[in-house]
Amino acid sequence: MSSLSAKDDCLGWAARDVSGVLSPYNFSRRDLGSDDVSINITHSGVCYADVIWTRNKHGDSKYPLVPGHEIAGIVKEVGSNVHRFKVGDHVGVGTYVNSCRDCEYCNDGLEVVCAKGSVFTFKGVDADGTITKGGYSSYILVHERYCFRIPDNYRLASTAPLLCAGITVYGPMVRHKMNQPGKSLGVIGLGGLGHMPVKFGKAFGLNVTVLSTSLSKKEEALSLLGADRFVVSSDQEEMKALAMSFDFIVDTASSDHPFDPYMSLLKISGVLVLVGFPSEVKFSPANLNRGWRTISGSVTGGTKVTQEMIDFYAAHKIYPNIEVIPIQYANEALERLIKKDVKYQFVIDIENSLK
């Protein structure tokens, strides 16, 4: 430890190359700015994005790479201009930590689609030229605009998955008015992402049907998550019986799948929102045009809707289903995530295991 720079006081786990293997890594954070919040990280969610960029799947990773963009923690210090947070507050940080703050989207609280590009929480280039490093680390410095208040009575571990998976489905559901009690919602896929719209849908008062390729998920969909109905999407008779029955569908599947069978389940003027990333999207224009239907896409959300989502979850005492793990299990967790062997989200206990 004596050979480390005095400023290399942040301990993280980083990937050094395309193998994606994570191991301990000491590094320095930038100095606290007047608008910054310094956060002791207690928990960091494990997202499929961590797999993608630790292994350079998109060809733009910057090593050493410290992943993690679902961050929950406790404020340890604030800059002189910070007024929204104080030492001891519970806060979260999501998928981005900066934006231009001047374009029409930033001015509307939609920083995630900043016209000049938002700065990702890890492997991004921040305003000072440094490469951002994420939540698999002991602490982080973030401009207060991109920090979210977590109510004291809401579990920090449970907040972490909301900051990517949660907002990825909450944002478009609210934007497309999928929060009207009594309406019907279909959810395609039941993984870490897919279990979120089931929980949101029930809290909104919707009638929720899970559409899955796996009959083995029926019991958990109905009993554990509270869905009203479960349908195996390969059962043509069951699917035919659902024709024109849904006001909304949230498609969380990232594997390639046909779209026409699901489009036909929408009512006239129904909306399908795609939040997964299949390699291609194909459907008949007739399924879209004749039914006055809409297909839309989404990623995470801006600061305004993200804070709204956290407050909604806390007010309704809704918690994502998580498996809490130590940082030393991170490599195994990423492998299990690839195999879809998790119910439903891993969360790293940074506070008690990163030493």
Side-chain angles (χ1 to χ4, degrees):
M1 295 293 290
S2 59
S3 63
L4 293 173
S5 162
K7 287 199 65 180
D8 286 344
D9 62 342
C10 191
L11 174 61
W13 274 49
R16 268 62 169 206
D17 54 44
V18 297
S19 70
V21 175
L22 300 164
S23 59
Y25 170 60
N26 285 84
F27 63 99
S28 61
R29 295 283 189 187
R30 57 179 167 78
D31 293 334
L32 182 79
S34 59
D35 298 307
D36 285 340
V37 178
S38 180
I39 303 160
N40 279 327
I41 298 172
T42 61
H43 298 85
S44 186
V46 178
C47 175
Y48 202 81
D50 302 343
V51 173
I52 291 171
W53 277 293
T54 55
R55 302 179 186 207
N56 200 25
K57 297 295 187 181
H58 290 175
D60 61 351
S61 297
K62 302 175 181 71
Y63 298 105
L65 187 147
V66 179
H69 62 196
E70 299 177 332
I71 299 167
I74 300 171
V75 176
K76 69 170 183 174
E77 189 178 2
V78 297
S80 58
N81 290 342
V82 173
H83 303 293
R84 293 176 51 227
F85 301 99
K86 64 182 186 304
V87 173
D89 283 349
H90 291 186
V91 295
V93 177
T95 61
Y96 53 93
V97 292
N98 213 338
S99 64
C100 79
R101 300 177 223 149
D102 191 43
C103 69
E104 61 178 303
Y105 305 110
C106 285
N107 288 336
D108 284 341
L110 302 172
E111 297 89 346
V112 68
V113 287
C114 171
K116 296 180 181 178
S118 55
V119 176
F120 293 152
T121 302
F122 64 88
K123 72 91 185 172
V125 180
D126 213 342
D128 63 351
T130 58
I131 304 301
T132 57
K133 294 177 172 61
Y136 291 27
S137 58
S138 54
Y139 78 96
I140 192 169
L141 294 168
V142 182
H143 188 289
E144 71 166 330
R145 176 169 179 154
Y146 310 96
C147 298
F148 305 103
R149 182 174 299 282
I150 301 170
D152 289 342
N153 63 350
Y154 196 77
R155 305 171 198 154
L156 287 169
S158 296
T159 305
L162 301 183
L163 295 163
C164 180
I167 189 58
T168 294
V169 295
Y170 181 90
M173 288 181 75
V174 172
R175 189 162 64 249
H176 292 285
K177 299 181 171 36
M178 297 184 185
N179 54 355
Q180 304 171 58
K183 298 285 188 176
S184 55
L185 170 70
V187 177
I188 302 172
L190 192 63
L193 193 54
H195 90 292
M196 294 286 196
V198 177
K199 288 178 174 281
F200 282 130
K202 293 305 299 178
F204 288 146
L206 305 179
N207 186 288
V208 180
T209 298
V210 171
L211 304 160
S212 176
T213 58
S214 176
L215 181 61
S216 65
K217 294 187 176 182
K218 181 175 182 178
E219 182 63 26
E220 61 198 66
L222 299 175
S223 300
L224 180 63
L225 300 177
D228 298 287
R229 185 164 46 176
F230 181 93
V231 171
V232 177
S233 54
S234 59
D235 188 320
Q236 294 185 13
E237 290 303 312
E238 277 197 286
M239 291 288 281
K240 187 183 295 184
L242 290 176
M244 297 184 68
S245 63
F246 295 131
D247 296 288
F248 319 112
I249 293 176
V250 175
D251 185 350
T252 71
S254 284
S255 57
D256 287 339
H257 57 284
F259 281 78
D260 283 316
Y262 298 110
M263 293 289 284
S264 66
L265 306 185
L266 288 170
K267 294 179 180 179
I268 298 298
S269 299
V271 179
L272 183 149
V273 170
L274 176 65
V275 294
F277 281 85
S279 65
E280 62 179 10
V281 176
K282 288 184 177 180
F283 56 87
S284 167
N287 258 333
L288 191 69
N289 299 345
R290 291 176 183 171
W292 298 356
R293 296 177 176 121
T294 298
I295 184 167
S296 177
S298 194
V299 285
T300 62
T303 54
K304 182 179 179 182
V305 71
T306 301
Q307 186 64 62
E308 176 188 306
M309 173 205 60
I310 294 170
D311 294 342
F312 180 87
Y313 248 52
H316 290 81
K317 294 181 170 59
I318 305 167
Y319 299 95
N321 293 60
I322 62 174
E323 181 178 336
V324 179
I325 60 170
I327 188 72
Q328 293 77 13
Y329 191 74
N331 288 306
E332 288 84 350
L334 292 176
E335 290 297 331
R336 282 180 56 190
L337 190 59
I338 293 169
K339 298 172 184 175
K340 301 180 181 179
D341 178 25
V342 56
K343 295 181 180 176
Y344 285 89
Q345 302 235 269
F346 288 117
V347 175
I348 301 171
D349 183 352
I350 297 290
E351 182 180 36
N352 293 307
S353 66
L354 182 60
K355 307 295 182 184

